[in-house]
Amino acid sequence: NGITTGFSVVHMLEDPHAAFLVYLAVAPEHQSRGLGRGLLDISWQYARNQSAAEKKALTGMVWEVDIPDSAPNGEKRNLSERRIHFFEQFGANVCRVAYQQPPLFDAAPVPMHLMFKSAGGASMPDDAAVRKLVRAMYGEKYHDMNGIDREVLDKLLAA
């Protein structure tokens, strides 16, 4: 009826060739009906189709999630834990490498977890591969698309 109930945003990274799930949201009144999982499946299929069309091997999909231990209260912590569980059911794992979401709108960087779903069957990329993903996310998405200064991103990479 012309009402948005959910959406996802996927940014294809070039090096490594991976999908960056930038955003996945379902309106609260439509949650727990399988729409989030449906959007996630569509996003995954989109990434696979894009890669096939470009004749490139997809390494997987990466995205950011809040760290439950950083939540300001029990309700937010529970929500963060539920999000991670949702993505784990999709076959993703929390990466071990420390990560900070770059500062948006002149705010401070936000410590977050990265989650990854492999396209090739391996459950988790090694730390060097995760750092390469972060460099791609910072350069190809946060710098090129969001205009965040390279110097700011380089400082985060060095941290």
Side-chain angles (χ1 to χ4, degrees):
N1 295 337
I3 297 170
T4 300
T5 57
F7 70 97
S8 68
V9 176
V10 176
H11 181 92
M12 297 303 294
L13 302 171
E14 291 301 318
D15 185 23
H17 188 68
F20 177 15
L21 182 66
V22 178
Y23 208 81
L24 176 74
V26 174
E29 65 272 18
H30 295 283
Q31 292 177 355
S32 299
R33 298 181 185 173
L35 295 175
R37 178 55 195 249
L39 280 171
L40 190 54
D41 289 341
I42 289 167
S43 298
W44 179 246
Q45 193 58 50
Y46 167 81
R48 294 173 64 91
N49 291 345
Q50 278 295 115
S51 297
E54 295 174 19
K55 297 184 180 358
K56 295 179 181 176
L58 181 70
T59 59
M61 183 179 277
V62 63
W63 56 92
E64 305 157 328
V65 292
D66 294 322
I67 299 171
D69 290 342
S70 299
N73 58 50
E75 181 181 335
K76 297 277 186 185
R77 180 186 178 92
N78 183 43
L79 182 60
S80 293
E81 290 170 346
R82 284 181 33 228
R83 281 188 186 126
I84 289 171
H85 180 69
F86 168 79
F87 288 120
E88 286 173 338
Q89 290 178 319
F90 179 62
N93 294 293
V94 174
C95 299
R96 298 176 302 264
V97 173
Y99 174 79
Q100 292 190 74
Q101 182 185 59
L104 302 171
F105 312 110
D106 295 325
V110 178
M112 299 188 91
H113 283 316
L114 283 181
M115 293 193 76
F116 184 80
K117 176 183 173 79
S118 174
S123 61
M124 180 65 81
D126 64 23
D127 291 356
V130 172
R131 284 191 285 279
K132 189 172 182 179
L133 275 168
V134 171
R135 280 192 299 278
M137 291 163 63
Y138 281 4
E140 298 176 31
K141 168 60 172 83
Y142 284 109
H143 173 72
D144 293 348
M145 300 297 292
N146 295 94
I148 295 176
D149 190 289
R150 271 232 195 258
E151 198 171 303
V152 170
L153 297 168
D154 287 343
K155 285 180 185 175
L156 289 175
L157 287 170

